[in-house]
Amino acid sequence: MISAKTAIVCISLLWAITVPGAPPDSRPGAHWALVPPQRPPLPELRHERWARNPVDRFIFSQLEALKLKPSPEADRTTLIRRLSLDLLGLPPTPAEVDAFLSDSSPDAYERLVDRLLRSEHYGERMAVDWLDAARYADSNGYQVDRDREMYAWRDWVIRAFNSNLPFDQFTIEQIAGDLLPQATLDQRIATGFHRNHMMNEEGGVIPEEFLAEYCADRVETTATVWLGQTFNCSRCHDHKFDPFTQRDYYGLLAFFHNVTEKGIGEYGASIRRNNPPMIQLPHPELEVKLGRLRKELTEAEPKLVAAKNRLRAELPDWSRRVVAMPVSWTRVEPLAVRLSGTTNRSPAAAIVSNSLPSLAKGRHAWVAEAVIPAGHVSALKLLFRSGQNTNPQAILPIRDLVVSRWFEASEPAGAGEWRELRVEASDAENAVSRADSSQAFDSKAAQPFRLPLRQSDPASLCVTLREHDGDGSAQDWRIRLAGAIVTDAPTLPVELQLWCTAASADLLIPGTVRTLAVKTPHQRSEAETAQLFDYWSGRDPAHRSLASQVNQLRREIDASDLQIPTALVMEEMPTPRPTHILIRGSYLRPGEEVRPSTPASLPAMREGLPKNRLGLARWLTDPANPLPARVTVNRLWQSLFGSGLVITAEDFGTKGDRPSHPELLDWLATEFIRSGWDVKGMMRLLVTSATYRQSSRWTPELLERDPSNRWLARGPRFRLGAEFIRDQALAASGLLVPRLGGPSVRPYHPPGLYEQVVAGSSASTYVVGQGDDLYRRSLYTYWKRSVPNPAMLLFDMPFREACTLRRPRTNTPLQALNLMNDPTYVEAARMLGQLALKDGGDDAASRLAFLFRRVMSRAPRSDERAVLKAALRRWKAEFSADPTGAKEWLSVGSKPADARLDPIELAAFAAVASTVLNLDEAITKE
């Protein structure tokens, strides 16, 4: 028996012997990834003709050592399709294929590469992988999972790749763009990289707990993306396998602990204000409107202040008048009341002096008349008093009481024509407040007036009279009131009384206000003085108008401000938060305080770098740091070849895989730095290599000796990513809307699925987009973490709850079912069939070849043409026998079928197109 330690040493020695080019560590015990990459010399080849650039020398040197031969170069059609899908995520058009096939110049391939790298769709393709790494989504996650706006950051990523922003600057702006001198709007938007994490808005959340979670997410994402290390292991204890301590973890966390964010979202706030810090995006139209509104507010506010000052000066005199002139009311007799137009069994024209009879359940219209004596009348009060009951506190079952009209006649009693009396709801002691009772006279009010009438207490409404206030009329005048009562159950009789007063309208005030008014200024508290002034100023028409204007402007400003899209960003606090090592990772157990610092096992930060996120970003892009360049070029390699030189792209530690070609990895890393972190340059280097240009056909020997193609004796062949499968179908069918950027869109979604998962939330219904939104590229698809797009999940798109650097590739029956039945693919198949009928030629063979080439880029072989023709005949026969089925097949999707085409023939071509879109070759890069 041998010890575990001896076994590990033996396995390590065997690996060093059997893996050609395994790098010797530059210091004892150092893991290969922590040793700074040294630029190795280019290997010599026995077959020099194989190599096109330095990449090939490393690959083919390995093949020579293994006694393997590289595969021949793929045919030109395969190459252009491979390149287009790898660099743009879209298939080439037939015209582009023809142009490349007819170009006989020696540098035709290189010029094709350069054209694709200049395309605006290159940035979209590159952004897809970065969105996975950045855990980008359009919602916050967790149970509430409300929406967020982050598309501005996504658009920045696309622009950065298209403009070939050097990767070191790309890194600095995303980690610390806000800390750069005179940071631009774009640089601040870039910092959204570290606001892409999930955010909790659930009730009962402890902010300190989730602030710790957010900071931990940033540490682990940064370590994964730039260092290729599993730093999350060090959150609770020193790493068990790699040389990183818990102190290293919290030293990195200290860089991110100084952001002005809360640990919980503001669920009651708009999504444009619920998780600061954030910035508003440019919106010229709304900015002009806001400028106008703010100017109007600036002009109105001083006028309101002047009105308040005037009223403050008048308040003492009004208070003295309230004390000196108590209000007295005079009962008006007689008062006759009758019911009319009732909807119950009450008499249709019952007349009861001063009262309504007991009322059954329902709505009861009533009219009351009285004669007002001659003299000064400024206000009227209508009082309702209930009959007696053994329970004096019982609330009468009156649901709504409406006083709909007031009429009066200026002639002597019993003469003249009725005309509407102009009244205004007013306050009076013990009366319903004018704010509430105004609904009783407003026929347009959203809710009917509800009278709080109890058995033992009367309830009254008060109005001031605009025409008769102060005229001292010498004649009696007659008044008529009309309204309705709605009851929920039989009631006791309700007595109606009418009272009038000659008191000035400004003395009609609630009892609580009168209590404050009679106090001297020294007797009132500050709150009482404010309460009294609020009431007094609210009665002044000029002040009310100005206050209403100011409030309306503020509401309009707020509403317009909320229409401006936002982006979550990073922002530093003026005073840093203290950071502590959390014992066992628990926010409840803070331990020793730590300062911002980088891991001790990696090169230290250079002198002069600030100990903040900007210093961290510059440390990550320091050429002396052995990891970022290696990790990044490995992911670029992975995007083209299907797997990285280090398969475990997220783990360059001792538990991760060793590189298949370590010297090549180091050469690429040093070349990346030497080139100025040129991403497009690195992609061009890789795709112009003979290694990349090989045919992907396997041989029995390769299948036996290298089934996973680790030694790259053939070209890459693997299934397309979820986004590119959908984008290819849209592009081939002519449906694709190639517009760049903008808010996320909502394509087709299985009905009912969304609602089952998010039932009860603030947005529990998925609303399918319209028009162009259905046909945008897939990276713009709205991504809700709790219900991601299921069609793309089937093809292994991640949930985006955490950083993902490589997706799995699965093959399941559900994928085929999706490609055959999802509305996107059914509609794409119909539109592709329609294109074939309209533009594919005059005969079926030409149309089938046209259709096939739109998807595969190549013409069908003779055996494939035979299969396509047979399929077309079969579908025509089936749809001829079932015209209804053909009609249903053509009705899927939003775009209508061309009515000029024969529906049977169109349905048959659409079915063949669906078959082609489902072929293995269609969803595979080769």
Side-chain angles (χ1 to χ4, degrees):
M1 297 290 289
I2 61 172
S3 67
K5 182 176 181 180
T6 304
I8 291 172
V9 171
C10 292
I11 291 170
S12 300
L13 289 172
L14 286 171
W15 181 272
I17 293 170
T18 58
V19 179
D25 290 347
S26 61
R27 63 179 189 272
H31 183 253
W32 67 267
L34 304 184
V35 178
Q38 301 299 315
R39 192 175 181 85
L42 297 179
E44 295 294 332
L45 294 176
R46 292 195 297 273
H47 302 283
E48 292 286 336
R49 69 182 185 279
W50 287 353
R52 288 182 176 273
N53 67 26
V55 171
D56 301 324
R57 291 188 169 275
F58 291 98
I59 297 296
F60 296 153
S61 171
Q62 189 93 348
L63 292 179
E64 287 183 344
L66 295 169
K67 297 186 176 3
L68 290 172
K69 291 181 180 181
S71 296
E73 184 170 294
D75 64 83
R76 279 195 156 199
T77 302
T78 297
L79 287 177
I80 187 173
R81 185 168 188 266
R82 181 188 294 177
L83 269 175
S84 294
L85 289 170
D86 276 343
L87 297 183
L88 307 184
L90 296 170
T93 65
E96 290 170 336
V97 175
D98 290 340
F100 180 57
L101 293 179
S102 63
D103 188 348
S104 58
S105 58
D107 62 344
Y109 181 85
E110 286 74 14
R111 289 193 293 108
L112 170 63
V113 170
D114 292 337
R115 177 177 67 80
L116 295 176
L117 289 174
R118 288 193 301 270
S119 169
E120 63 183 7
H121 300 303
Y122 163 81
E124 293 178 313
R125 160 63 188 96
M126 298 296 287
V128 168
D129 294 337
W130 196 253
L131 298 186
D132 281 358
R135 65 270 193 247
Y136 173 87
D138 295 298
S139 68
N140 289 333
Y142 295 103
Q143 181 178 347
V144 175
D145 200 22
R146 272 212 300 172
D147 288 355
R148 64 169 58 163
E149 281 184 323
M150 283 298 290
Y151 68 85
W153 174 81
R154 179 183 58 201
D155 291 352
W156 177 89
V157 171
I158 295 170
R159 292 195 302 272
F161 279 117
N162 277 334
S163 65
N164 199 29
L165 186 68
F167 189 77
D168 58 345
Q169 189 66 21
F170 183 73
T171 296
I172 289 167
E173 292 190 14
Q174 289 187 90
I175 291 181
D178 59 308
L179 300 179
L180 292 170
Q182 289 81 49
T184 65
L185 176 65
D186 266 6
Q187 288 169 335
R188 295 190 65 197
I189 289 172
T191 63
F193 177 89
H194 270 317
R195 296 301 308 286
N196 277 316
H197 57 80
M198 296 201 298
M199 297 175 186
N200 203 334
E201 298 178 90
E202 297 173 22
V205 164
I206 301 172
E208 292 80 4
E209 177 183 5
F210 281 89
L211 183 61
E213 291 295 327
Y214 304 160
C215 290
D217 175 274
R218 291 174 185 137
V219 170
E220 292 158 17
T221 299
T222 301
T224 303
V225 173
W226 279 277
L227 303 177
Q229 298 296 322
T230 55
F231 241 58
N232 53 317
C233 296
S234 301
R235 183 175 180 181
C236 301
H237 49 71
D238 292 349
H239 204 295
K240 298 297 184 183
F241 306 106
D242 296 321
F244 301 114
T245 64
Q246 195 178 18
R247 175 179 287 276
D248 290 335
Y249 183 98
Y250 287 96
L252 276 181
L253 188 142
F255 287 106
F256 300 110
H257 200 211
N258 194 31
V259 181
T260 59
E261 72 174 342
K262 302 175 183 178
I264 181 173
E266 299 175 17
Y267 184 69
S270 162
I271 63 168
R272 290 176 173 162
R273 291 179 185 163
N274 71 328
N275 275 298
M278 56 182 60
I279 56 174
Q280 291 184 324
L281 306 179
H283 197 301
E285 182 180 344
L286 285 173
E287 288 166 9
V288 169
K289 180 181 179 181
L290 280 168
R292 173 179 59 79
L293 291 172
R294 285 170 178 147
K295 181 175 181 295
E296 292 178 13
L297 182 62
T298 302
E299 294 170 351
E301 284 179 327
K303 296 177 183 177
L304 179 60
V305 170
K308 287 183 181 294
N309 291 337
R310 171 179 60 81
L311 290 168
R312 285 193 178 93
E314 296 173 358
L315 181 60
D317 180 63
W318 174 69
S319 299
R320 286 191 292 270
R321 290 179 62 232
V322 169
V323 175
M325 303 174 66
V327 176
S328 62
W329 293 88
T330 302
R331 175 83 175 267
V332 176
E333 297 285 358
L335 180 65
V337 182
R338 69 177 181 272
L339 294 173
S340 64
T342 57
T343 59
N344 56 29
R345 298 179 182 176
S346 299
I351 298 178
V352 182
S353 178
N354 298 343
S355 68
L356 292 171
S358 299
L359 302 175
K361 180 179 179 180
R363 178 183 176 87
H364 311 272
W366 57 268
V367 176
E369 295 181 9
V371 174
I372 306 298
H376 183 100
V377 177
S378 63
L380 298 171
K381 182 165 62 173
L382 181 63
L383 182 146
F384 296 83
R385 186 189 301 276
S386 70
Q388 297 301 310
N389 192 298
T390 56
N391 181 6
Q393 293 301 314
I395 299 177
L396 277 178
I398 294 179
R399 176 159 50 91
D400 303 329
L401 182 144
V402 182
V403 180
S404 57
R405 298 186 306 277
W406 293 67
F407 297 98
E408 62 96 4
S410 58
E411 300 296 331
E417 296 293 330
W418 291 106
R419 62 186 178 87
E420 188 172 355
L421 180 67
R422 296 176 61 201
V423 299
E424 184 178 83
S426 180
D427 287 318
E429 191 168 352
N430 299 326
V432 177
S433 72
R434 72 176 186 276
D436 293 331
S437 63
S438 60
Q439 295 181 50
F441 316 111
D442 183 1
S443 60
K444 298 180 180 179
Q447 297 292 332
F449 177 66
R450 299 176 184 272
L451 186 71
L453 183 61
R454 292 180 179 274
Q455 297 282 358
S456 59
D457 301 319
S460 56
L461 313 176
C462 179
V463 294
T464 54
L465 308 179
R466 296 181 182 178
E467 290 91 343
H468 286 266
D469 188 11
D471 68 356
S473 173
Q475 295 179 326
D476 293 346
W477 51 284
R478 196 171 181 180
I479 186 170
R480 175 183 290 177
L481 298 82
I485 292 179
V486 181
T487 67
D488 288 330
T491 68
L492 294 171
V494 178
E495 180 185 2
L496 278 70
Q497 296 180 7
L498 185 65
W499 300 73
C500 64
T501 184
S504 175
D506 66 345
L507 300 179
L508 298 175
I509 59 177
T512 54
V513 176
R514 182 174 296 277
T515 301
L516 296 177
V518 298
K519 289 185 177 181
T520 66
H522 297 295
Q523 291 174 326
R524 298 184 203 119
S525 68
E526 186 175 336
E528 288 174 332
T529 300
Q531 182 182 350
L532 183 63
F533 179 77
D534 286 345
Y535 180 83
W536 167 237
S537 60
R539 294 179 63 97
D540 183 77
H543 178 272
R544 284 206 310 270
S545 176
L546 284 169
S548 175
Q549 180 186 2
V550 167
N551 290 335
Q552 179 62 25
L553 285 170
R554 287 172 178 166
R555 284 193 296 269
E556 288 184 33
I557 289 171
D558 189 62
S560 299
D561 186 71
L562 275 176
Q563 294 178 48
I564 298 178
T566 58
L568 303 178
V569 297
M570 298 285 275
E571 183 179 80
E572 289 288 276
M573 298 176 66
T575 303
R577 288 188 182 103
T579 302
H580 298 265
I581 294 174
L582 301 183
I583 298 171
R584 304 300 298 172
S586 171
Y587 76 100
L588 294 172
R589 300 179 64 190
E592 180 185 353
E593 185 172 352
V594 294
R595 302 288 182 182
S597 60
T598 54
S601 57
L602 292 172
M605 294 177 69
R606 294 185 185 276
E607 289 294 330
L609 287 180
K611 294 300 175 71
N612 58 17
R613 284 182 285 113
L614 183 57
L616 175 65
R618 296 197 185 282
W619 172 79
L620 286 172
T621 55
D622 189 328
N625 193 328
L627 288 168
R630 277 189 181 123
V631 168
T632 303
V633 297
N634 186 66
R635 288 206 305 275
L636 296 179
W637 184 281
Q638 173 183 268
S639 72
L640 298 171
F641 291 93
S643 62
L645 296 170
V646 177
I647 294 177
T648 52
E650 71 287 347
D651 187 0
F652 273 50
T654 58
K655 289 298 180 180
D657 283 350
R658 290 179 64 88
S660 59
H661 299 77
E663 289 185 340
L664 172 58
L665 181 62
D666 280 4
W667 187 90
L668 290 173
T670 56
E671 178 66 13
F672 192 39
I673 295 171
R674 187 197 64 78
S675 71
W677 303 85
D678 183 353
V679 177
K680 279 190 178 181
M682 180 56 61
M683 294 294 284
R684 189 183 193 281
L685 175 70
L686 298 180
V687 300
T688 55
S689 67
T691 303
Y692 177 82
R693 294 165 68 165
Q694 294 177 98
S695 167
S696 62
R697 291 181 180 275
W698 55 267
T699 65
E701 181 186 13
L702 289 179
L703 186 61
E704 179 183 355
R705 297 187 60 188
D706 187 19
S708 59
N709 200 30
R710 291 294 288 143
W711 307 120
L712 297 161
R714 57 183 172 88
R717 186 186 191 280
F718 51 88
R719 199 206 66 218
L720 296 175
E723 296 91 338
F724 310 133
I725 293 174
R726 179 176 177 274
D727 293 350
Q728 176 181 246
L730 294 175
S733 64
L735 285 171
L736 182 69
V737 175
R739 184 173 67 250
L740 262 68
S744 295
V745 296
R746 300 183 185 226
Y748 301 115
H749 199 281
L753 174 63
Y754 189 95
E755 289 75 10
Q756 288 180 33
V757 177
V758 298
S761 75
S762 58
S764 57
T765 302
Y766 184 93
V767 180
V768 176
Q770 301 293 321
D772 289 355
D773 285 2
L774 296 171
Y775 313 113
R776 297 288 305 283
R777 288 202 68 172
S778 300
L779 85 157
Y780 301 117
T781 296
Y782 169 73
W783 200 252
K784 190 175 186 70
R785 284 186 164 112
S786 58
V787 200
N789 185 280
M792 287 195 274
L793 281 183
L794 286 175
F795 289 96
D796 307 310
M797 189 171 181
F799 277 77
R800 297 255 180 91
E801 293 180 342
C803 169
T804 303
L805 294 189
R806 59 182 175 129
R807 298 182 184 181
R809 289 192 190 91
T810 61
N811 292 291
T812 71
L814 284 176
Q815 293 169 349
L817 287 172
N818 176 257
L819 292 175
M820 289 187 288
N821 296 286
D822 186 286
T824 294
Y825 297 104
V826 175
E827 186 174 25
R830 172 167 54 80
M831 295 302 292
L832 181 53
Q834 188 167 293
L835 279 177
L837 285 172
K838 296 171 71 174
D839 303 330
D842 298 328
D843 59 275
S846 299
R847 291 168 174 174
L848 290 171
F850 173 92
L851 180 155
F852 188 89
R853 196 167 181 237
R854 292 276 300 185
V855 180
M856 306 298 190
S857 301
R858 65 174 178 86
R861 298 187 302 270
S862 59
D863 58 334
E864 292 169 332
R865 286 198 298 270
V867 171
L868 292 173
K869 287 179 181 178
L872 182 63
R873 287 194 300 270
R874 183 175 65 254
W875 281 114
K876 280 186 177 180
E878 290 195 16
F879 285 127
S880 295
D882 182 17
T884 302
K887 184 178 180 180
E888 291 177 354
W889 176 250
L890 297 178
S891 66
V892 175
S894 295
K895 288 189 179 295
D898 192 330
R900 295 170 297 178
L901 299 175
D902 175 26
I904 301 300
E905 189 172 31
L906 176 55
F909 269 91
V912 174
S914 177
T915 301
V916 173
L917 287 171
N918 274 268
L919 293 177
D920 177 71
E921 184 178 339
I923 64 171
T924 305
K925 197 166 66 169
E926 294 300 292

